[in-house]
Structures are given as C-alpha cells and as structure tokens.
Amino acid sequence: MEPGSMATRYLLTEEEMKKNDFPFVGSLDTENYIHTNCTEEPTDSSPLYGLDCEMCMTCKGNELTRVSLVDAQGQCIMDELVKPDNPIINYMTRFSGINKKKLHPVKTKLKDVQEKIKGLLPPNAVLVGHSLNNDLRALQMIHPHVIDTSLLFARGHGRRFRLKFLAQVILKRDIQCGGALGHDPSEDAAAALNLAQYFIENGPEKVADINLEDIFLKTNNLHSRPDDTKSSETKPNGMLHPLPPEGPSFLEALEKAGKKITYVSRDRLRNPVSSRQFETLLCASNAELLEKVCSVGPLSPVTIVHFQHGSVSSEVPAAGTEVTCKFGEMMTVFAGPFGNGVCLRSVKMHFGSCGPILSMSAVSGTHQPYVCIKYGVPEAAHLAVELLNGSCIDGSPIKVQRMISGRTLDYEDIFKEMGEDPENENTIYVSGFANPLTEEFLQNQFKNFNEIKSVFVPTHPYSRRQAKYCYLRFHSPDAAAAAVRHIQAHGGLRSMKAVTSCHFHRWLQAAQQIGSREDYTEIIRDLDRRILQLYESLPENTLCVIVFPGNNGSSRPLPGFGVMGIKR
C-alpha cells in the first residue's frame, strides 16, 4: 500500500488524545464544550482541514480572538475575528496581531464560530494543526479525528519542533514573518496541513532520513547532548538538574585555543593562579577605565570590565536596592473595601492561597477599610488580581488592584519579558498548599504529570524552611500549559505560567531581607550611565553580562545579581 493511502494511520488514538490534553467527551473540564458532530468513521480518503487559532489573555485566562480553517487544497474557507466574553488584559499582539482597534468593531462571538465550523466540516472530516489541542480548547470544541504535526514530527523526550522550523525545512517556506503584525493563522493552518500531507505521502522513513534534529542543532549552533538523563543530582534548593556532560571548562577551552581574557580594572587580580590567563589593563580611575574600553573596542574574545564605587556601602548592594524596591512595589496589591471589623486572618487565608505573603497591613486614611498585601513573588500578586478581584470575603465584595507608582508603570512590559525568558518557557508556578512542601509529597501530588522534568521548592534564605509553593518544569511548553489547565480545573491549588526564573527568585527572596539605609540614587545613576555608554560601544552580536556582586563573608550573606543579553 502506498504511503499516501494511509492517512488514518496517523490519526491520534483516544488514549493519545487524552495523554496530550485534547478535549474529549466525558472530561470534567469540557462539560460546556461543543461537539463538531463529525461522528462518521474516517477513511484514507477523508478530507483534511487545517486549523489554527490566535488567543488573547482575559481576566479568565486565554480566550479566542481569531480562527482560520483551510481545506485540503490549502484554500482558506474561514477566517474570523472573535470578541471574547471577558475583559481583555493582554491582546498578545506580538503573536496574534490583534489589537484594541482591530477588535473593537467585531460582533462575532465564540458561539458564532462554533456553529460556523460545525456547518463547514463534513461528518468524516479530519482536523490538522500544530499543538491542535490548544486550538480546540480555545474554540471549546471536541473533535474525535485529528492529526497533530507537533507530535507527527516528534523529537523525543516530550520535546517538539516549532511550526516555523518545520515549514522552513520540510516545505521550504518562511512563515510567521509578520513581526509586530503577529502570526497569520490561515498561513499557519495551511503550513500544518501541508506538513501532514507531506508526512502521509512520503512516510516516516523518508522524514527520518531528513535528520531534523541534526538540522535543528546546527541551525541553532547547539551540540547534541547524551540521551541518558538518569544521572542527576538534587540541589539543596530542591531543583533536580541533569548532570552536564564531562568536558573542558570555559577557561580550559580558552587556554587550549591560545586565547586570553582582558581584565580592565583599577586593581590587579588577587588570584595569582588564574591571573596567568588574564591580560590586565590598569587604570587610575573609573573615567579612564571607561574611556579606554570604549576607544579600543573588543580587546580579546572575552573582556572583563571592573567598575569600582568606593562610596557604596559594602553591606548594601546599591543596584540591588533599586531593583528590590521596584519588584517590591510590583508585588504589592490593595484589597477592599471591607466592612468595619474585618478579620485580617480571613483575608490572609484567602490571599495566602496565591503565594507567600511578606506583610499585610490595614490602610489608614481611606473612607472604608482597605488592606495592603505585599507578596514575595510576582506570580502571587498576578494571581491575586486575576482570581480574587470581585470575590466576596467576610460578606464584602472586594476589588483587588495593583500599586501604581513611577516604578510600576512599565509593569506589563516587564511581566511579559519575564514570561518570555527561555528559562520560564516550560515552567509553571503552583501555590495554595497547606503545609511546607517535601519531595515525597510533591511526587505523590503530581504523579499523573508524566512530562515533569524537575521541581524547584524555594527555601527561606536563613531559616532554610521549605516554602508552601513550588515551580514545576516540563519537557515542553504544551505540557506545562496542560498542567496549568488541569490544576486550575480541579480546584484547591492556584497555578499559572511562571515568570520568575529560579536564579532570580533566589536573589529576590534573599534581597527582600535587606533594607536600604542610604539614598543611593546618584550612585546608581552614575553606574547606569557608565554601563550604557560601554554597552553602546560594543559591536553587534556581543554577549554582555553585568554582575552586581554580593557578599558571602558576613553572618547574613547578601545576594549578588546578574543580567545578560546579546547586543543586536
């Protein structure tokens, strides 16, 4: 039998659909979903339809804003903008291409596109998409016959290729090139459809011969890693890390290549062993240091520039104080108005389910009682606003709102950038546990999530007591998103996509224990000016790492802080 006549071979089984979080009849979280009524058994000649959706974020989660459907010939037979039922928090314009102006005149609602799709699909239709489970959940529709190209072109270990990469390699087609205009769902739907047709016509053997994994690694300048990830170690903070493959360190690799590191500072290196690999340029002042570095350009493959500020107290990292204040305000919410004699214990119980509360106090000077809640992680504040706004506590319907100050005006942009950090891509935040967490408890709690890669349970920087919330890292973004939906649907716990990477979380948690004793505004501005001037002098494609060192020598060690980026 020719590969082209075996389309049904690549349909997901019912068990595969359940495993990959497709909506199905009988599931507790799909009781309000609509069935496509395509109940006729498909054959190898059944028509294929490509489907893709774009979503925005509302106060109730992700909701549909656009849906495209293409037929077997790649012709777009449906492309509709959809007005969500709930208020929009984020239009996700970068991905969806949707903005307030574009969606304002739209009258089409979810139920309208559901009925239109039911009318367009024949009884034996096969739907094709890339991570199609997300599209069907956005549509709140159940369809029994599907081909998912993210699973068809699988990488193993739960990982998946992006649609854009597969289209480039398999179809020789560039998609998702809209930039600020976002993705075109009809283009993505057609690409997924064509990928499925290619797989069906050529068979898995030919696809395997393409060596997609090797092309992916080469395209992204990556090196293959050993498949065996059984060897691992548990860090004191609870994160399970695969052990890195053995090999030379960065310094050893530089030494083998005959390269040196240029060290520009006002003082020589204190370690005589490591200094053999450093070329030191001494300067009399920070001004001379900055002038020298900016004028001579890249001095070697690696250059270290050491600014010194003698007026900064050794006990308080100046830049850390400013960052801590900013995030402290971003993690503060106000709730109210409450009735007179409000029980703060009851308020703490409700708001504590969202995450760690650092402090809670009554607000004075308001006509009615309000409460200020300061959280320890950004996710907690976000969940409090998203889930508790409009709730009723002690008989009082309350509003939950963020703190507004000069430091928090760019909150949405920072929150979005944190969520797009590659370290957070496959990670979710879970809170609402009654007791401090243990490894045994978490293994039992999340034993049904078979794609969990690692677990991070924060600890108090000084008492070392385990927290009542955790971060779960999965093998793929889809598995992470499915876990969030599962946790939210079954109640009891709070969950969302993580925005706080583990290293930043540890720094922020420890930094919150330290208070500022002076005004370091001028020092910070001066340091910021020098760093900006140095950054602007760097050539393109330079990796730039900025480190604000901490202090490990005192009885209360202070955390350091680092940021990294590539000059484009």
Side-chain angles (χ1 to χ4, degrees):
M1 184 178 291
E2 292 295 322
S5 61
M6 299 170 63
T8 52
R9 175 182 174 184
Y10 306 113
L11 295 176
L12 293 182
T13 65
E14 183 176 340
E15 188 61 33
E16 288 172 329
M17 291 179 70
K18 290 180 180 179
K19 179 181 177 181
N20 290 283
D21 196 43
F22 277 81
F24 59 91
V25 176
S27 175
L28 294 177
D29 59 347
T30 60
E31 56 185 27
N32 296 320
Y33 280 35
I34 304 298
H35 202 288
T36 59
N37 291 335
C38 297
T39 55
E40 186 175 309
E41 197 65 27
T43 66
D44 291 328
S45 59
S46 292
L48 305 182
Y49 290 83
L51 175 70
D52 189 72
C53 297
E54 297 296 339
M55 283 78 84
C56 69
M57 182 180 290
T58 72
C59 61
K60 297 299 183 181
N62 288 335
E63 291 192 49
L64 184 73
T65 51
R66 187 177 177 184
V67 54
S68 292
L69 189 69
V70 300
D71 61 19
Q73 289 70 47
Q75 297 297 314
C76 185
I77 60 174
M78 178 183 179
D79 187 16
E80 294 278 356
L81 292 174
V82 184
K83 179 69 69 70
D85 292 330
N86 296 290
I88 297 174
I89 298 174
N90 189 337
Y91 284 89
M92 309 291 284
T93 306
R94 176 183 172 187
F95 304 102
S96 68
I98 307 297
N99 53 38
K100 184 176 182 179
K101 181 179 180 181
K102 186 176 292 187
L103 209 58
H104 178 72
V106 175
K107 304 298 182 183
T108 304
K109 305 292 283 187
L110 177 63
K111 62 180 181 180
D112 299 321
V113 296
Q114 288 174 335
E115 290 302 317
K116 187 170 182 178
I117 289 174
K118 286 173 61 177
L120 288 171
L121 295 179
N124 64 339
V126 174
L127 282 180
V128 179
H130 198 78
S131 296
L132 184 60
N133 56 311
N134 294 328
D135 302 303
L136 289 173
R137 287 193 174 276
L139 285 165
Q140 296 186 22
M141 298 190 78
I142 297 173
H143 186 81
H145 315 304
V146 299
I147 296 176
D148 192 324
T149 51
S150 72
L151 300 172
L152 205 57
F153 295 85
R155 299 180 62 189
H157 301 293
R159 298 173 298 170
R160 305 187 187 191
F161 292 112
R162 294 189 182 276
L163 181 64
K164 181 180 178 71
F165 169 77
L166 292 174
Q168 286 175 328
V169 176
I170 304 294
L171 306 177
K172 312 302 179 188
R173 183 188 307 170
D174 288 325
I175 64 172
Q176 300 176 359
C177 300
L181 298 178
H183 298 176
D184 181 349
S186 61
E187 179 183 63
D188 290 357
L193 175 69
N194 295 153
L195 285 168
Q197 291 169 331
Y198 178 94
F199 200 104
I200 294 168
E201 292 169 6
N202 294 280
E205 292 79 10
K206 183 172 182 179
V207 172
D209 290 340
I210 299 174
N211 292 320
L212 287 169
E213 185 69 25
D214 290 344
I215 295 173
F216 175 81
L217 293 172
K218 184 177 180 180
T219 302
N220 293 278
N221 295 318
L222 301 174
H223 301 286
S224 59
R225 296 175 64 93
D227 291 332
D228 182 13
T229 58
K230 293 181 181 179
S231 298
S232 60
E233 60 178 351
T234 303
K235 299 290 186 182
N237 56 32
M239 176 66 83
L240 187 67
H241 294 280
L243 290 173
E246 292 185 3
S249 68
F250 179 66
L251 284 176
E252 290 170 340
L254 281 177
E255 187 173 20
K256 186 176 181 179
K259 305 291 185 182
K260 284 198 171 187
I261 298 174
T262 300
Y263 180 72
V264 187
S265 176
R266 293 165 60 181
D267 292 318
R268 291 189 179 275
L269 279 171
R270 297 178 181 178
N271 189 336
V273 177
S274 61
S275 64
R276 292 177 304 180
Q277 217 174 317
F278 286 75
E279 190 74 48
T280 303
L281 293 180
L282 294 179
C283 303
S285 65
N286 283 333
E288 181 188 346
L289 185 153
L290 182 64
E291 182 181 359
K292 182 171 292 187
V293 174
C294 291
S295 62
V296 300
L299 304 174
S300 64
V302 179
T303 300
I304 297 176
V305 181
H306 183 200
F307 287 110
Q308 291 177 320
H309 284 281
S311 59
V312 178
S313 168
S314 61
E315 295 187 5
V316 182
T321 302
E322 182 73 11
V323 173
T324 305
C325 289
K326 184 179 184 72
F327 276 92
E329 292 181 0
M330 286 171 52
M331 295 184 291
T332 299
V333 299
F334 293 90
F338 293 96
N340 292 323
V342 58
C343 176
L344 289 180
R345 184 176 181 180
S346 177
V347 175
K348 187 173 183 178
M349 180 186 71
H350 282 83
F351 282 85
S353 67
C354 296
I357 295 177
L358 295 181
S359 66
M360 193 175 70
S361 59
V363 179
S364 60
T366 54
H367 178 64
Q368 293 177 287
Y370 277 79
V371 174
C372 173
I373 301 105
K374 296 183 178 181
Y375 284 104
V377 291
E379 290 92 345
H382 184 82
L383 284 174
V385 175
E386 185 177 281
L387 301 179
L388 298 181
N389 186 37
S391 61
C392 190
I393 299 178
D394 285 354
S396 301
I398 63 166
K399 295 184 295 182
V400 182
Q401 51 197 318
R402 297 190 181 281
M403 181 177 187
I404 301 298
S405 74
R407 278 190 283 246
T408 62
L409 291 177
D410 57 355
Y411 165 79
E412 292 294 340
D413 292 334
I414 293 176
F415 199 81
K416 181 179 178 182
E417 288 179 8
M418 292 171 69
E420 293 172 355
D421 187 322
E423 186 169 340
N424 296 325
E425 184 179 29
N426 304 340
T427 308
I428 69 172
Y429 166 83
V430 187
S431 67
F433 299 98
N435 299 302
L437 300 176
T438 64
E439 183 178 349
E440 182 181 0
F441 172 81
L442 288 173
Q443 287 178 349
N444 183 64
Q445 179 78 26
F446 301 117
K447 61 185 177 182
N448 294 327
F449 295 154
N450 55 12
E451 284 200 54
I452 289 183
K453 185 177 181 181
S454 57
V455 176
F456 171 63
V457 181
T459 57
H460 190 279
Y462 304 119
S463 70
R464 311 308 300 168
R465 188 180 182 186
Q466 299 291 102
K468 297 180 183 179
Y469 62 99
C470 66
Y471 293 87
L472 306 180
R473 176 170 291 178
F474 290 79
H475 284 286
S476 68
D478 291 336
V484 170
R485 287 195 296 270
H486 178 84
I487 292 170
Q488 291 175 339
H490 289 78
L493 298 176
R494 313 286 196 187
S495 184
M496 63 173 286
K497 183 181 182 297
V499 297
T500 316
S501 53
C502 295
H503 62 276
F504 180 74
H505 170 85
R506 287 192 294 269
W507 176 87
L508 188 62
Q509 185 185 53
Q512 285 161 348
Q513 308 300 320
I514 297 130
S516 175
R517 285 184 273 174
E518 299 179 43
D519 182 7
Y520 293 102
T521 303
E522 291 304 318
I523 297 174
I524 294 170
R525 287 177 179 172
D526 177 63
L527 185 61
D528 184 62
R529 180 185 62 81
R530 295 181 190 279
I531 292 175
L532 179 61
Q533 191 173 344
L534 175 57
Y535 182 81
E536 290 176 345
S537 72
L538 298 175
E540 292 185 356
N541 297 320
T542 299
L543 175 64
C544 180
V545 182
I546 301 172
V547 177
F548 300 100
N551 178 10
N552 294 322
S554 66
S555 58
R556 288 170 58 93
L558 303 177
F561 180 65
V563 291
M564 178 174 65
I566 297 178
K567 172 72 179 293
R568 297 295 189 185

